[in-house]
Amino acid sequence: MKYRAATIKDIAQALGLSTSTVSRALRDSHEISAATKQLVLEHAASLNYHPNPIALSLKEKKSRSIGVIVSEIANSFFSQTINGIESVANEKGYTVIISQSHESFEKEVRTLQYLASRSIDGLLISVSSATKDLTHLKALHQYGFPIVFFDRIIEDIATHKVMVDNFQGAYNATMHLLQQGYRRIACITNSAHLSITRERVAGYIAALEKHGIHPQPALIKYCFHGGMLLPEVTDAVNQLIKLKTKPDAIFATSDKLTTGCMRALKKAKVAIPGGMALTGFSNSDLIELLHAPITVVRQPAFEMGQVATELLLQLIESKRPVKEFETRVLQSELLIPPR
Amino acid sequence: MKYRAATIKDIAQALGLSTSTVSRALRDSHEISAATKQLVLEHAASLNYHPNPIALSLKEKKSRSIGVIVSEIANSFFSQTINGIESVANEKGYTVIISQSHESFEKEVRTLQYLASRSIDGLLISVSSATKDLTHLKALHQYGFPIVFFDRIIEDIATHKVMVDNFQGAYNATMHLLQQGYRRIACITNSAHLSITRERVAGYIAALEKHGIHPQPALIKYCFHGGMLLPEVTDAVNQLIKLKTKPDAIFATSDKLTTGCMRALKKAKVAIPGGMALTGFSNSDLIELLHAPITVVRQPAFEMGQVATELLLQLIESKRPVKEFETRVLQSELLIPPR
DNA sequence: GATTTTTCCGGGAACGATTGCGTAAATAAA
DNA sequence: TTTATTTACGCAATCGTTCCCGGAAAAATC
């Protein structure tokens, strides 16, 4: 005995009315008498009637759902961002469909096509570290499809963007190492073509130069998979360790990279910060429980999710095509462990 | 210039055919000539035609989407489970809609109603630690709505269930503490009415008794919010510490509780394992980087997600009402840090 | 050549809801 | 009383798709 949800037709039949009357009564139209409205409302309640969102979607040509693509939900930064996204989306009656690219370009493209075919009304995306080719995003964008970039921005595509002040965050972290006396500071970072990589490396370099130190290319290691593959990070760290003039500190530009470095250093039996100091971007809430108390750059992830969603909904619900786009830059925070 | 997706009608018009013919051609019906099929297929491809899933949903009375309710996605165990869920759902063409209860009963009920109103085809749920009243779930279940429980099971409701051998996991962990010589072992656990709480506490007690130790109620602390609220855990730990005969080890029955204990012990300046040994359930991948190398019970989260989803899809796609239900019990693993 | 069968395709209803338009009855204005 | 206006409701189209029928033309059979 399969459950069949009550429809407007059921109500109409039971009350001897037409479906249009019932529909209008439920929407509290002025052209329905108070008595009829009363009747309809009561019967709808008794049947536990709820309008079928699918039928509505078909009619309205919108699904009231938004897609989110991140590299990984098992990543504190992204799961916190998603919480922010859900908080505003749900309040506005939107469903959030989350997908993961796992830092793979192919997965990102597939997942995007899938979401598009599920007729989402808009997209929130932090591109994968492997994404260089942008045709999949540009195609969608050209159709006027609402997209908001967060965290990992695509500069080429004109739409709303939300990120932290990556330059400043990296600058502060590097400066903090410098102030503690470290001078040979290496940088382990993400794919070179990501916006966050460029900006964070720039901040790192600026801090070094501020201290009159020339940045050395050999000390900057790019990890194409963004730390998704541990060996990539381990190799980078090992290369640094084996340098004739070994660095005395590492600045890692992402969550996965920071913990990856820690793993690699532990494996190589290098003490932190004795053998090598470490600092980096991280939103993990376990940072304070790690064996070495490290300083981290923390992003306002929840807020970033909220802001991005607000901008997206604005785009979606706008009557006319939006021409002016915002780029919101939030501030990060430097968390220094108590000593 | 808003984008309008190509429809079957566009193809029909362009080719001078009827929509029924086009529809059949696309579905490779035998009553359409090879020539026409060819024509339609080519034109569909050139228009980048994709059937509108919303129209299909309306017709088929199914949305090809499943809902997932967990307490928190920012929890390694659940995010790993979700990865497992997505892997099989996506492969079968289903969308996964993830919602969080944040261990709140009200949020769980609201979220469930919301999902139901979005006409999902089935539900995967690990109930919140605050859930005692089951009417919301029972109502849905009575309508024949497909539900699969995972991790935190509801015994009362007859449907498929997936979990780990909680008793054995807890038994092994406690036994491991006993083998290391600890004798006064406390247990910090979740809400008393959760299935995982009952089973894990039972395993803990069985191990103690195996060693001829009488379990003491004062050493078992229940956290109603499952560690979602840190003070709850801190209080429990502090009470244990202040006992006349202080315990020498703590067994924590969940991820949040294990790290919560670690925080509390750190705050109270109790060394691990010197002042207090600690072991517990955890799927965090940062365990090996923590300041105290603790032994943890690790659950096959990914696999659990896969199995649960397979069972759910089986329920959803079954022609006749399913009467026989399975309870799959997976094995956990005891991760002992190298010394 | 006449009949039957097959092949191939179109018409139209249905899924659940909204909405523009038409209209009968009730009321108000003339 | 007649005309104009309002009130309160129904009809039917629409969204994109599938699928049950029905039927013309072609092919096969007698």
Side-chain angles (χ1 to χ4, degrees):
Chain A
M1 168 185 17
K2 186 70 183 174
Y3 172 61
R4 219 192 97 259
T7 73
I8 234 175
K9 209 183 282 179
D10 297 331
I11 305 179
Q13 235 153 31
L15 265 43
L17 293 169
S18 76
T19 57
S20 15
T21 304
V22 174
S23 171
R24 273 185 271 253
L26 290 170
R27 317 204 116 238
D28 201 29
S29 157
H30 64 275
E31 33 181 348
I32 301 298
S33 73
T36 309
K37 275 183 193 170
Q38 169 85 352
L39 216 65
V40 170
L41 252 33
E42 276 173 5
H43 199 255
S46 83
L47 255 51
N48 190 28
Y49 169 81
H50 286 283
N52 181 327
I54 296 187
L56 281 178
S57 293
L58 184 57
K59 188 112 232 296
E60 308 292 330
K61 286 171 168 276
K62 55 178 66 165
S63 61
R64 287 191 83 77
S65 66
I66 61 177
V68 178
I69 302 183
V70 298
S71 56
E72 253 206 323
I73 59 172
N75 173 312
S76 315
F77 171 71
F78 289 120
S79 55
Q80 290 162 22
T81 309
I82 289 171
N83 286 350
I85 293 172
E86 292 212 306
S87 73
V88 349
N90 288 344
E91 198 192 346
K92 297 278 186 71
Y94 279 77
T95 302
V96 177
I97 300 178
I98 302 162
S99 305
Q100 312 181 63
S101 67
H102 293 287
E103 305 288 19
S104 144
F105 174 68
E106 289 72 26
K107 187 90 199 299
E108 179 176 298
V109 174
R110 269 210 312 278
T111 237
L112 186 60
Q113 285 173 340
Y114 183 71
L115 284 179
S117 86
R118 294 294 305 190
S119 49
I120 53 171
D121 294 343
L123 177 71
L124 248 30
I125 183 171
S126 171
V127 297
S128 94
S129 61
T131 302
K132 280 195 240 184
D133 183 352
L134 302 174
T135 47
H136 57 309
L137 290 165
K138 286 189 173 166
L140 222 53
H141 180 248
Q142 274 174 354
Y143 283 140
F145 189 82
I147 304 180
V148 170
F149 292 101
F150 69 95
D151 181 45
R152 303 170 179 182
I153 303 305
I154 300 293
E155 273 127 358
D156 282 23
I157 300 184
T159 183
H160 293 321
K161 293 155 193 173
V162 187
M163 52 187 168
V164 292
D165 189 337
N166 288 303
F167 179 92
Q168 192 67 43
Y171 182 88
N172 292 347
T174 311
M175 206 48 115
H176 181 252
L177 286 173
L178 288 164
Q179 280 159 2
Q180 290 183 299
Y182 298 103
R183 284 297 172 269
R184 284 188 59 76
I185 304 175
C187 175
I188 294 198
T189 187
N190 223 306
S191 281
H193 51 276
L194 283 182
S195 60
I196 53 171
T197 301
R198 285 195 302 276
E199 297 164 5
R200 292 176 190 178
V201 169
Y204 153 80
I205 289 179
L208 290 184
E209 288 178 341
K210 178 89 177 173
H211 269 251
I213 300 175
H214 279 300
Q216 296 183 31
L219 293 186
I220 305 183
K221 297 288 185 190
Y222 296 92
C223 294
F224 191 69
H225 299 96
M228 203 68 175
L229 274 42
L230 185 58
E232 197 183 26
V233 187
T234 314
D235 287 353
V237 170
N238 288 341
Q239 285 175 26
L240 289 174
I241 296 176
K242 291 198 186 97
L243 247 42
K244 338 93 230 149
T245 44
K246 169 168 146 318
D248 51 9
I250 295 179
F251 164 55
T253 70
S254 86
D255 221 313
K256 263 292 204 256
L257 292 173
T258 305
T259 54
C261 281
M262 224 165 152
R263 273 181 230 278
L265 290 172
K266 182 171 187 194
K267 199 165 182 184
K269 297 198 197 309
V270 176
I272 304 173
M276 181 81 78
L278 178 63
T279 184
F281 275 68
S282 174
N283 270 54
S284 167
D285 50 1
L286 292 184
I287 283 295
E288 58 209 73
L289 294 181
L290 297 184
H291 68 81
I294 64 173
T295 294
V296 294
V297 182
R298 175 137 311 174
Q299 303 185 59
F302 189 87
E303 189 190 346
M304 192 183 288
Q306 290 185 307
V307 173
T309 311
E310 279 161 11
L311 290 174
L312 182 64
L313 294 185
Q314 195 175 304
L315 233 47
I316 291 175
E317 293 177 350
S318 144
K319 309 272 175 285
R320 66 194 81 260
V322 180
K323 295 288 180 192
E324 303 273 299
F325 299 110
E326 291 184 51
T327 295
R328 296 272 188 94
V329 178
L330 310 180
Q331 287 307 312
S332 63
E333 190 186 356
L334 194 66
L335 288 189
I336 304 171
R339 34 180 36 252
Chain B
M1 163 185 23
K2 187 73 182 171
Y3 172 60
R4 221 193 94 258
T7 73
I8 236 173
K9 209 183 282 179
D10 298 331
I11 304 179
Q13 236 153 30
L15 265 45
L17 293 170
S18 76
T19 58
S20 14
T21 303
V22 174
S23 171
R24 272 184 273 252
L26 291 170
R27 317 204 117 240
D28 202 27
S29 157
H30 64 274
E31 32 182 348
I32 302 296
S33 72
T36 309
K37 276 183 192 169
Q38 169 86 352
L39 217 63
V40 170
L41 253 32
E42 276 174 6
H43 199 255
S46 81
L47 257 50
N48 192 26
Y49 169 81
H50 286 283
N52 181 326
I54 297 187
L56 280 178
S57 294
L58 183 59
K59 193 109 234 293
E60 308 292 330
K61 285 170 169 277
K62 57 177 65 163
S63 61
R64 287 191 84 79
S65 67
I66 61 176
V68 178
I69 301 183
V70 298
S71 56
E72 254 205 322
I73 60 171
N75 174 312
S76 315
F77 171 71
F78 288 121
S79 55
Q80 288 162 23
T81 310
I82 289 171
N83 285 350
I85 293 172
E86 291 213 307
S87 73
V88 349
N90 289 343
E91 197 191 348
K92 297 278 186 73
Y94 280 77
T95 302
V96 177
I97 299 178
I98 303 161
S99 306
Q100 312 182 64
S101 67
H102 293 287
E103 304 288 18
S104 145
F105 174 67
E106 288 73 26
K107 185 89 201 298
E108 179 176 300
V109 174
R110 269 211 311 281
T111 238
L112 186 59
Q113 285 173 340
Y114 183 71
L115 285 179
S117 86
R118 295 293 305 192
S119 49
I120 52 170
D121 294 343
L123 177 72
L124 248 30
I125 183 172
S126 170
V127 297
S128 94
S129 60
T131 302
K132 280 195 239 184
D133 182 353
L134 302 175
T135 48
H136 58 306
L137 289 165
K138 285 189 174 164
L140 221 55
H141 181 247
Q142 274 173 355
Y143 283 139
F145 188 82
I147 303 181
V148 170
F149 292 100
F150 69 95
D151 181 45
R152 303 168 179 184
I153 304 303
I154 300 293
E155 272 127 358
D156 283 23
I157 300 182
T159 183
H160 293 322
K161 293 157 195 171
V162 187
M163 52 189 169
V164 292
D165 190 337
N166 289 300
F167 179 93
Q168 192 66 43
Y171 182 89
N172 292 347
T174 311
M175 204 49 116
H176 182 252
L177 286 172
L178 288 163
Q179 280 160 2
Q180 290 183 296
Y182 299 103
R183 283 298 172 269
R184 285 188 57 75
I185 302 175
C187 175
I188 293 199
T189 188
N190 222 306
S191 282
H193 51 276
L194 283 182
S195 61
I196 53 171
T197 301
R198 286 196 301 277
E199 296 165 6
R200 292 176 190 179
V201 170
Y204 153 80
I205 290 179
L208 290 184
E209 287 176 340
K210 178 89 180 175
H211 269 250
I213 300 175
H214 279 301
Q216 298 182 30
L219 292 186
I220 305 183
K221 298 289 184 188
Y222 294 91
C223 294
F224 190 69
H225 298 95
M228 203 68 174
L229 275 41
L230 185 58
E232 197 183 29
V233 187
T234 313
D235 287 354
V237 170
N238 287 340
Q239 284 173 29
L240 289 174
I241 296 176
K242 290 195 186 98
L243 248 43
K244 337 97 230 143
T245 43
K246 169 171 149 311
D248 52 8
I250 296 179
F251 164 55
T253 69
S254 86
D255 220 311
K256 264 274 194 286
L257 292 173
T258 305
T259 54
C261 281
M262 220 162 157
R263 271 180 233 278
L265 289 172
K266 183 170 186 192
K267 199 166 183 180
K269 298 200 195 306
V270 175
I272 305 172
M276 180 82 79
L278 176 64
T279 184
F281 276 68
S282 174
N283 270 55
S284 167
D285 49 1
L286 292 182
I287 283 296
E288 58 209 72
L289 293 181
L290 297 184
H291 68 81
I294 64 175
T295 294
V296 294
V297 182
R298 173 134 315 172
Q299 303 186 58
F302 188 89
E303 189 189 347
M304 193 183 287
Q306 290 185 307
V307 173
T309 310
E310 278 161 11
L311 290 173
L312 181 64
L313 294 185
Q314 195 175 305
L315 233 47
I316 291 175
E317 293 177 350
S318 145
K319 309 272 177 285
R320 65 195 80 259
V322 180
K323 296 289 182 193
E324 303 272 299
F325 298 109
E326 291 185 50
T327 294
R328 295 274 187 93
V329 178
L330 310 181
Q331 287 308 312
S332 62
E333 190 187 354
L334 195 65
L335 289 191
I336 304 171
R339 36 180 33 253

